[in-house]
Amino acid sequence: MAYSFVNARDIVLSIDWDNNGSFLPVACLTSNSMDIKRDAIDADSKCGDNQLPGDSVKQTVSCSGNAIDQTGTIDREGYDRLYTLLQNKTTFAAKFGPASPVSGDIVYSGAIFITSLKLDAKDKDLMKFDAEFEVLNAPLTQTKTY
């Protein structure tokens, strides 16, 4: 069976900040990641050690990027929009995967909200940001493009 590698540069976090069905990539990302964890149930006893999969799932999406200001047509969600979403406790739709999926690509989608936003403005550097998002009803839906 043939396989191909996934180019990480093609994987972006896109959000629909106003829930109108229009997804835009988040800023100019330098990295993004997704983490999912399922709690274990401790079933240890004198009969032996045992762990069972629990019901609780927690999933986060993180990203880092260069802060951008935009003029004219908005083509990316900026750090300023992320700040407003965090401040207003807004829940919104998101997609994690290729910006333009083709057959065979995997895209994760669902509702998220911002739990952390850090702005970093070091001397002789671009202003950068880090953001973390919590998935509202984990896990995100995994869809394979056909």
Side-chain angles (χ1 to χ4, degrees):
M1 182 164 126
Y3 60 89
S4 60
F5 294 97
V6 177
N7 185 344
R9 186 169 221 179
D10 296 337
I11 307 302
V12 297
L13 173 63
S14 298
I15 63 173
D16 178 8
W17 76 276
D18 57 2
N19 292 306
N20 69 359
S22 177
F23 288 83
L24 293 176
V26 173
C28 290
L29 295 180
T30 55
S31 69
N32 50 315
S33 62
M34 183 175 60
D35 185 34
I36 184 168
K37 296 178 182 176
R38 177 176 297 281
D39 290 337
I41 297 172
D42 184 356
D44 288 351
S45 70
K46 292 182 181 183
C47 296
D49 296 332
N50 198 7
Q51 299 291 312
L52 301 172
D55 294 326
S56 180
V57 175
K58 180 176 180 175
Q59 190 170 25
T60 57
V61 176
S62 301
C63 63
S64 297
N66 295 316
I68 56 173
D69 288 325
Q70 301 180 77
T71 57
T73 303
I74 303 298
D75 65 348
R76 299 195 179 275
E77 301 294 1
Y79 71 95
D80 55 334
R81 182 85 44 94
L82 297 177
Y83 186 88
T84 301
L85 293 170
L86 174 66
Q87 184 179 27
N88 294 338
K89 302 178 189 177
T90 307
T91 299
F92 47 91
K95 293 182 180 181
F96 183 91
S100 300
V102 297
S103 182
D105 285 343
I106 302 291
V107 177
Y108 300 90
S109 60
I112 64 175
F113 57 94
I114 300 177
T115 56
S116 172
L117 180 62
K118 175 185 174 187
L119 298 176
D120 192 9
K122 294 180 183 175
D123 188 30
K124 300 178 186 173
D125 198 358
L126 296 173
M127 187 163 101
K128 300 186 187 300
F129 74 94
D130 297 307
E132 185 165 291
F133 306 83
E134 183 87 22
V135 175
L136 186 62
N137 294 308
L140 292 171
T141 301
Q142 176 182 277
T143 305
K144 187 170 188 173
T145 307
Y146 292 101

